[in-house]
Amino acid sequence: MEARNWDRPAPEQPGEALTEGDHSADVRLDAGGSLRADISNAMVALKKRFYGKGPTKARTFFNDNYVFCVLEGGLTRNEQTLLEAGEAELVRNYRLRFEAVMTKPTTEAVENLTGRKVLAYHSQILFEPVCAFEIFILDGAANG
């Protein structure tokens, strides 16, 4: 078994960096033990571990080959300050760039959890109310 190197730069981390451990302290998630809860936990880990602050609520939805994760809250203090100064586009662009840089571990985490390949991934954020969306398109037929 290959030794894990969690000291690699964030964009080079394996998907397991997001799926190992419970990152849901102080976060309302889907019912525990479900695949939806596992994906929500991984997306919370992405924000907490690599961004510095996670959401207050996370929920994941499935529809055939689509995974849609909604993360509520979680802006950092500097982001809140920028928003108050009218810099919403700057915060949005920074968040979207961060998500683009973190595509590898993010998509690997979803692939590991679902057992399916991620064909496409997109992230988006809204500020009123504060909600981030992680959207994945999976290959193959949906299970069940």
Side-chain angles (χ1 to χ4, degrees), residues 10-24 27 38-55 58 69 71 74 95-110 121-124 132-136:
E12 296 174 14
Q13 292 286 319
E16 290 86 7
L18 302 180
T19 58
E20 289 185 348
D22 182 1
H23 303 278
S24 64
V27 180
D38 291 344
I39 292 172
S40 292
N41 185 60
M43 296 304 104
V44 169
L46 169 70
K47 305 298 185 189
K48 281 186 173 181
R49 183 169 182 177
F50 296 112
Y51 200 76
K53 184 170 182 182
C69 188
L71 307 166
R95 282 274 181 140
L96 295 178
R97 185 65 190 131
F98 173 81
E99 298 303 334
V101 167
M102 294 303 295
T103 293
K104 178 186 176 291
T106 305
T107 57
E108 280 184 6
V110 171
Y121 163 63
H122 181 69
S123 182
Q124 190 54 258
F133 303 95
E134 308 301 330
I135 305 163
F136 304 87

Side-chain angles (χ1 to χ4, degrees), residues 2-133:
E2 177 185 337
R4 294 189 174 121
N5 181 354
W6 300 119
D7 294 331
R8 287 185 264 181
E12 296 174 14
Q13 292 286 319
E16 290 86 7
L18 302 180
T19 58
E20 289 185 348
D22 182 1
H23 303 278
S24 64
D26 301 320
V27 180
R28 289 185 300 160
L29 291 180
D30 301 293
S34 72
L35 178 58
R36 290 184 311 124
D38 291 344
I39 292 172
S40 292
N41 185 60
M43 296 304 104
V44 169
L46 169 70
K47 305 298 185 189
K48 281 186 173 181
R49 183 169 182 177
F50 296 112
Y51 200 76
K53 184 170 182 182
T56 57
K57 184 177 180 183
R59 185 151 187 202
T60 298
F61 302 88
F62 278 94
N63 187 355
D64 299 324
N65 294 355
Y66 307 100
V67 178
F68 187 79
C69 188
V70 180
L71 307 166
E72 296 180 18
L75 291 178
T76 62
R77 184 66 196 131
N78 66 323
E79 289 173 326
Q80 292 171 346
T81 300
L82 287 168
L83 288 174
E84 291 166 4
E87 296 290 345
E89 282 309 305
L90 178 63
V91 175
R92 176 177 282 106
N93 289 336
Y94 178 80
R95 282 274 181 140
L96 295 178
R97 185 65 190 131
F98 173 81
E99 298 303 334
V101 167
M102 294 303 295
T103 293
K104 178 186 176 291
T106 305
T107 57
E108 280 184 6
V110 171
E111 289 174 346
N112 292 343
L113 291 169
T114 63
R116 296 169 67 188
K117 176 128 178 84
V118 172
L119 300 176
Y121 163 63
H122 181 69
S123 182
Q124 190 54 258
I125 188 165
L126 302 175
F127 300 117
E128 292 184 32
V130 176
C131 290
F133 303 95

